[in-house]
Amino acid sequence: MRFSYKNVYNSEKHREVMDNMRYVIDDKFLAETKNYELTDGFSLEVRSYEDKDKSVYTDKCILTNAGKIIYEYCCFDRHNFIFKEIIHHKNGHRYYLFKIDLYGISCLDVDTLEVYNYIPEGYEHKEEYMCGESFIITDVHYDEKSNLIAYGGCYWAAPYDVMAGDFSEPMNFNPHLVSLNGILDPEFDLCQDIDFMEWKNDRLYVICDDKKEESVSINQLKDMINELTEKGEK
């Protein structure tokens, strides 16, 4: 199947889908409110709204620092993942990563308030759907030394994998990601699930099936990411 890296965020179809769910942001649909403490003194308030009769769910997320509202966004259809670490980037800026939907990733520069949203078109799919399947990011791990980032997550709910990408330009996101499972077990017969462990000694370390430690060099990852990028697939 063909995979499309095209960013469908804010496309006509995307706006239509999101706007059809915004009506639940009303006190009569408020189900619960949760608060999360992030690093660097930031906090996130998540107000969850739901219309169970129509199966519509929307979270309104409010990022604050020292009691001041920094940024607000919505995440739709119960696809919220809270990344608690504010990234200190090699370029001197700080970034907050978040999700507005199941697929893709968004990045806020908390110092300038510039934001970038990315939702890939994904694998070939029926025209009536906005997206085909793409990697579902559930956790993020930035390495300041290499400017690479590791995303934990999965395709089609399983197996769990780690994807490595270039994060040197957060506001010009490079969507070409390399699968650790694809490197370590290309036949997918040894590792069923892979989880992030750490960046160390110029290598990315992961755990296979909760027990076996494996690693890949940063140079190999960079070469593979560059190769994908140079192909210019959109």
Side-chain angles (χ1 to χ4, degrees), residues 47-179:
R47 301 173 185 172
S48 297
Y49 300 86
E50 57 183 45
D51 183 350
K52 292 183 177 179
D53 293 337
K54 296 182 179 179
S55 297
V56 174
Y57 306 92
T58 300
D59 288 343
K60 182 177 181 180
C61 304
I62 304 169
L63 181 69
T64 62
N65 185 268
K68 178 183 177 181
I69 295 177
I70 303 298
Y71 188 72
E72 298 182 11
Y73 63 94
C74 291
C75 184
F76 298 94
D77 213 14
R78 288 180 168 173
H79 293 145
N80 209 353
F81 292 88
I82 309 301
F83 308 132
K84 294 184 177 182
E85 183 175 355
I86 301 296
I87 290 177
H88 286 241
H89 198 274
K90 196 173 185 177
N91 65 13
H93 288 244
R94 296 178 300 167
Y95 297 97
Y96 169 65
L97 297 186
F98 61 98
K99 300 191 64 159
I100 58 176
D101 207 326
L102 180 62
Y103 304 117
I105 193 76
S106 295
C107 182
L108 171 72
D109 184 324
V110 299
D111 299 310
T112 68
L113 300 186
E114 182 181 4
V115 65
Y116 180 79
N117 298 283
Y118 176 71
I119 300 176
E121 187 175 28
Y123 282 104
E124 289 180 325
H125 56 284
K126 294 182 179 180
E127 290 184 359
E128 59 264 32
Y129 299 130
M130 183 179 70
C131 294
E133 183 72 15
S134 61
F135 190 71
I136 301 166
I137 298 171
T138 60
D139 52 274
V140 296
H141 311 275
Y142 170 67
D143 178 48
E144 184 177 352
K145 183 177 180 181
S146 66
N147 254 341
L148 296 185
I149 192 166
Y151 300 104
C154 59
Y155 280 99
W156 291 286
Y160 207 78
D161 197 358
V162 172
M163 304 286 278
D166 175 19
F167 200 65
S168 58
E169 298 182 56
M171 294 294 110
N172 187 23
F173 176 72
N174 183 346
H176 298 87
L177 308 178
V178 172
S179 164

Side-chain angles (χ1 to χ4, degrees), residues 187-214:
E187 301 301 323
F188 289 90
D189 58 0
L190 298 177
C191 296
Q192 293 300 312
D193 290 294
I194 291 182
D195 292 288
F196 174 84
M197 184 178 178
E198 62 181 336
W199 295 99
K200 184 178 70 174
N201 299 329
D202 296 321
R203 302 184 72 84
L204 170 55
Y205 286 82
V206 295
I207 293 291
C208 296
D209 299 329
D210 297 324
K211 54 186 178 182
K212 185 179 180 182
E213 181 181 309
E214 297 280 2

Side-chain angles (χ1 to χ4, degrees), residues 27-39:
D27 285 347
K28 67 181 180 181
F29 293 115
L30 182 62
E32 65 176 354
T33 299
K34 290 185 177 181
N35 292 280
Y36 299 86
E37 294 301 317
L38 314 182
T39 59

Side-chain angles (χ1 to χ4, degrees), residues 15-40:
R15 291 195 300 270
E16 177 186 343
V17 171
M18 301 302 105
D19 289 345
N20 286 339
M21 291 189 280
R22 292 185 194 277
Y23 76 90
V24 298
I25 303 177
D26 186 290
D27 285 347
K28 67 181 180 181
F29 293 115
L30 182 62
E32 65 176 354
T33 299
K34 290 185 177 181
N35 292 280
Y36 299 86
E37 294 301 317
L38 314 182
T39 59
D40 284 26

